[in-house]
Every structure is written in structure tokens, then in C-alpha cells.
Amino acid sequence: MYDYDLLVVGSANADLVIGVERRPGAGETVLGSDLAVHPGGKGANQAVAAARLGARTALLARVGDDAHGRLLLESQRDAGVDTVGVLVGGAPTGVALITVDPSGDNSIVVSPGANGRLAPEDVSAAACLFQSSRVVSAQLEIPLETVVAVVRNLAPDSRFVLNPSPPRPLPSEVLAACDPLIVNEHEAKVILGSSAVGDSPEGWARILLAKGPRSVVVTLGGEGALVASSEGVSRVSSVKVSAVDTTGAGDAFTAALAFRLGAGASLAEAAAYAARVGAATVTKEGAQASFPTAAEVAAL
């Protein structure tokens, strides 16, 4: 019996958000809305998203001993996430500077702060969390060597889900553990590098699969997603919604997919559910504040 449906190992940031009529070009200054501060970071976002859907969730992360760190801890606990694995101190809490245009698209710059101090030894010290978790999810807003340590500390029967964002080339040891590797178009092209051929997501998925992951999911925004495994490649659709803010949608997708896989859903079934969760997320502003409950997803 697992104590947790999902253990998220990753980043926790304070999101500093400004709305703009258009995002500035090089050397340009534009006026924006009043500054809003929200709890965020890919790891913290995934943990809250999963907990809102009903998953028993734990977070392994590091925040600073400051106001932003306290904001993040409070948001996790309010969502029902177990924060026993959240370490405090060592550097200021990470910060993400986000601009959002009227279409809902965003641009993000991240200052890692304490996230960069989440070390392999922190992963080793949290061995009990790994042994108690059905699925483990990670991203790349923490050091890559820490992600490698996550792979090495997985329980024998647990499943590893990775969203390689921000994208970078991955060691074969990490790729081989992914089940699935979840990428959007940009992330797929970065990881494929010179192997990227054509504009077909199906083609990218097949090439990515050949690099070692047990399965691959390519997210396609409003078009849903594509799933690939040894059983073949197929698309799953989403529902059409009016996007208000896309911040956090990818994190909600990953969390939902990981949760459903742990509950026994097939990859295609989990991706279809995750696409609905992502669609519900973009209809509200903010990241964690926009994550839906299971009832809201069912009503979509």
C-alpha cells in the first residue's frame, strides 16, 4: 500500500505576474498592469494540481526562509499537499517573472534561488518518500544531477514521469526511466536537436521513443496531445475553451496524467483526462489558483 499517489520533486517559485498589451521586444519598455504575486514553480504547481484532483500528494522541494517561501508552504498545505519534504533555507525562494498578453500567452524568466540548492543528497535523505510513492514526477527547474538522483532512488515498482522544462539534452539514464517523457513542441525540438525532422508531432514522438523512454507524450495545446509507446502512436483530443491565461496549464496536464497513470489508467486514457484538466486551467487567471477540482473537470 502506497502512502502517496504522487511524489513531486521539483521547483517552488513565487510568480510575479504583469499583464501587458504586448510583450516587449529587445530594448523596448511597455506599460503593464499592477503586479500580482502568486505561488508557482513547476514542482509546486504539479503538487497542488494533483492534490486538487484528489491525489494523495507529497512535495520534495526547497524554498527560502522568507515571505515568498511562507507563501508557497501555505499554498501547498491549503491544497492538501504533504510538505514534510519541503526544505527551508540556503538561498532566497525562487522567483518567476511572468508577462501575460491579452490572448493568454505568457513569457517567463526564472531566477532559481533555493531551487538550485536542491541537491542529490536531499533526494537520498528523502528515501522514505520515494518508497511510499506510487508515481514520482520531476521537471528541470532543479539541477539535472538532482533529477539523476531521483531516478536512482525510485522504488522498484514506482513510475517516473518527467516534463523536461526548461528543456536540455538528457542523459540516457534519465531517458530510460521516463514513463512517460512529456514534452511540448519546443521541448521536443530541443531534446531531439539535430534528430528533429519535419513538422510532424508523430515523427518527433517516434524519434524520441527511439532515444530510450518507455513512453512519450507530446502536448499540442488546444489540440490535445499525442501518446507514443511500444503499442503505437495515437492522438487524444481536448475540449475547446476560451483561453484566459495559459500559465500553469502544462503543469496541470503533467500532474493529472501522472495521477491517472498511478490509478491504473492507460497512457491514452490518462492523457485524455489530462488534456481536459489543462483546458479547464486556461479558463482562469494565474497558475495554482486556476487548477480545477475533479468535479470541475467532470463538468467541463
Side-chain angles (χ1 to χ4, degrees), residues 157-175:
D157 297 326
S158 66
R159 189 163 186 165
F160 179 60
V161 175
L162 177 66
N163 172 219
S165 180
R168 60 183 295 182
L170 296 171
S172 57
E173 180 179 7
V174 171
L175 283 170

Side-chain angles (χ1 to χ4, degrees), residues 47-197:
V48 168
R52 289 259 178 88
L53 294 171
R56 296 168 300 164
T57 309
L59 174 66
L60 175 57
R62 184 177 287 276
V63 299
D65 186 9
D66 50 34
H68 287 156
R70 290 186 286 276
L71 170 70
L72 286 158
L73 281 168
E74 181 180 355
S75 71
Q76 293 292 311
R77 291 165 180 161
D78 286 348
V81 176
D82 191 336
T83 60
V84 66
V86 180
L87 307 169
V88 179
T93 301
V95 172
L97 308 177
I98 304 173
T99 58
V100 182
D101 69 20
S103 73
D105 285 333
N106 60 59
S107 296
I108 305 175
V109 178
V110 175
S111 172
N115 297 307
R117 305 324 197 265
L118 187 65
E121 49 266 35
D122 297 325
V123 171
S124 299
C128 59
L129 285 177
F130 286 87
Q131 296 302 315
S132 302
S133 301
R134 185 184 304 276
V135 180
V136 178
S137 175
Q139 326 79 38
L140 298 184
E141 287 185 338
I142 56 176
L144 183 57
E145 57 265 28
T146 304
V147 178
V148 172
V150 169
V151 169
R152 294 175 179 174
N153 280 270
L154 293 171
D157 297 326
S158 66
R159 189 163 186 165
F160 179 60
V161 175
L162 177 66
N163 172 219
S165 180
R168 60 183 295 182
L170 296 171
S172 57
E173 180 179 7
V174 171
L175 283 170
C178 295
D179 193 15
L181 175 74
I182 303 176
V183 293
N184 60 22
E185 177 180 344
H186 170 66
E187 292 154 1
K189 289 181 176 178
V190 171
I191 293 173
L192 286 172
S194 60
S195 300
V197 177

Side-chain angles (χ1 to χ4, degrees), residues 232-281:
V233 179
S234 61
R235 291 205 181 208
V236 296
S237 61
S238 184
V239 293
K240 300 298 182 183
V241 296
S242 296
V244 173
D245 183 359
T246 60
T247 306
D251 301 327
F253 179 98
T254 298
L257 186 141
F259 173 37
R260 296 308 302 159
L261 286 175
S266 69
L267 185 61
E269 291 169 340
Y273 180 76
R276 294 178 65 86
V277 172
T281 297

Side-chain angles (χ1 to χ4, degrees), residues 9-25:
V9 184
S11 58
N13 295 324
D15 287 348
L16 310 185
V17 184
I18 299 177
V20 293
E21 284 300 314
R22 58 184 176 81
R23 286 168 286 177

Side-chain angles (χ1 to χ4, degrees), residues 2-37:
Y2 291 100
D3 294 327
Y4 303 106
D5 299 309
L6 179 63
L7 168 63
V8 181
V9 184
S11 58
N13 295 324
D15 287 348
L16 310 185
V17 184
I18 299 177
V20 293
E21 284 300 314
R22 58 184 176 81
R23 286 168 286 177
E28 182 183 15
T29 299
V30 299
L31 293 177
S33 66
D34 291 342
L35 175 70
V37 181

